[in-house]
Amino acid sequence: MRNALILICCLGLLWPAAVTAAERAPAGRGAAMTPGEAAWYQSLRAGLSQFRKGGGYKTNREAMEALAQKTCRWDPRTRRPVFLLREAAPSFCSSACYLLLLKSLQLWDAAQPQPVISERAWLALIPRLGQHDGEGPWGWANANGPGLAVLVHRLGAGVNFEDWRKARPGDFMKIFWTDHIGRRESGHLTVLVKDGGDTVTFWSSNMPDGYGAKTVPKSQIRRVIFTRIIRPERFNLAPAVGSHPWLSSLLQQEVGMKEVRRYSGMQNP
């Protein structure tokens, strides 16, 4: 119940306030938000409001079938995707965040004077059952390490950074609970809801309940990578996303932050 109240408060109050403040001035949270960024954040907020709470957390075939076969459909009549969010259960962190990304992109695209994301791009973006880590947009986003950050960087759709002071609600946030990145990592892909100073509240599919908000002490987090979408139109380049051997290799090897920063377009400190 507490998580539900947190999410309602953040959706109804925190997020609009954050957008308004960011449009006026940096306010210590990075550069001012452009009208284009504000439109994306509104789409993200609208998309997030359509997810139900709970649904269970699993990382097995059942969860992948829920995502790729039950939830993400293609309408041959309209030649556009259909996302049946209530079918997306059970779920896991990367499936939740990627589905939120797709739903937000659909809402953003529908608000444009004419469609920006092509049929070919949508077909590339929709997850497929049996798609391996490092193969296609979903395979990149679902990979260990900085999967989503690498995808966004390669498409030129946004920026990645590590500085908590620059983060704002609506940024995707990959959490690393330990120093391990790759084969032995313990990570969690989320969306930042609120930076509470010593704590952080995020939305994702969380163990054991599934979709919802969760608050943890920052002291539990070893490092984070924030991913901010600033050019959603660049997802139209999704058909050019092929295989990424480095991301695929993270199932078998561990890597350091120097490599992570290079592939994610971030500078070494």
Side-chain angles (χ1 to χ4, degrees), residues 140 146-156 158-162 166 225-227 244 246 257-269:
W140 288 32
L148 181 63
V150 175
L151 173 64
V152 169
H153 172 62
R154 179 66 64 89
L155 291 174
V159 295
N160 302 304
F161 55 94
E162 301 171 80
K166 295 180 180 179
I225 297 174
F226 297 101
T227 296
H244 198 299
W246 182 77
M257 278 304 296
K258 185 175 182 180
E259 285 183 80
V260 168
R261 293 182 182 113
R262 176 160 62 91
Y263 284 109
S264 305
M266 301 186 294
Q267 294 184 346
N268 285 314

Side-chain angles (χ1 to χ4, degrees), residues 23-265:
E23 287 175 329
R24 290 198 304 266
R29 289 289 175 189
M33 189 180 290
T34 66
E37 288 180 83
W40 167 255
Y41 275 75
Q42 293 292 351
S43 297
L44 187 74
R45 176 172 170 260
L48 185 55
S49 71
Q50 295 185 28
F51 280 79
R52 65 174 181 170
K53 186 177 184 292
Y57 179 98
K58 290 185 179 179
T59 56
N60 58 7
R61 184 178 177 85
E62 181 186 2
M64 273 304 309
E65 288 177 348
L67 176 68
Q69 295 184 330
K70 297 179 181 180
T71 304
C72 298
R73 306 279 186 87
W74 183 255
D75 187 339
R77 183 182 61 84
T78 63
R79 308 185 74 82
R80 309 302 286 174
V82 177
F83 301 115
L84 306 176
L85 300 186
R86 291 197 172 271
E87 299 293 328
S91 59
F92 49 98
C93 64
S94 52
S95 74
C97 290
Y98 190 73
L99 184 55
L100 173 60
L101 173 67
L102 293 183
K103 183 60 183 179
S104 303
L105 189 61
Q106 181 190 48
L107 293 170
W108 174 87
D109 195 48
Q112 306 309 304
Q114 59 184 16
V116 175
I117 310 301
S118 70
E119 174 184 346
R120 186 163 170 256
W122 277 121
L123 289 170
L125 288 163
I126 290 177
R128 303 187 306 276
L129 197 63
Q131 196 169 356
H132 299 296
D133 286 6
E135 294 182 0
W138 161 242
W140 288 32
N142 189 44
N144 285 351
L148 181 63
V150 175
L151 173 64
V152 169
H153 172 62
R154 179 66 64 89
L155 291 174
V159 295
N160 302 304
F161 55 94
E162 301 171 80
D163 191 344
W164 284 93
R165 295 170 299 178
K166 295 180 180 179
R168 60 192 181 206
D171 290 340
F172 290 94
M173 179 174 66
K174 175 63 183 279
I175 294 172
F176 295 91
W177 304 112
T178 70
D179 283 320
H180 298 291
I181 302 173
R183 183 174 62 88
R184 291 193 295 162
E185 80 175 47
S186 176
H188 197 35
L189 187 60
T190 71
V191 177
L192 176 62
V193 173
K194 181 181 180 181
D195 184 345
D198 292 335
T199 64
V200 60
T201 301
F202 52 78
W203 178 91
S204 187
S205 178
N206 305 302
M207 294 190 290
D209 298 327
Y211 300 113
K214 185 173 184 178
T215 300
V216 302
K218 284 185 181 177
S219 59
Q220 293 182 1
I221 298 173
R222 182 65 185 91
R223 65 175 77 252
V224 293
I225 297 174
F226 297 101
T227 296
R228 178 174 300 164
I229 307 299
I230 58 175
R231 297 187 64 190
E233 70 275 8
R234 299 287 291 185
F235 283 96
N236 197 45
L237 301 177
V241 175
S243 61
H244 198 299
W246 182 77
L247 286 176
S248 299
S249 76
L250 297 186
L251 287 172
Q252 290 83 36
Q253 71 162 339
E254 292 191 28
V255 297
M257 278 304 296
K258 185 175 182 180
E259 285 183 80
V260 168
R261 293 182 182 113
R262 176 160 62 91
Y263 284 109
S264 305

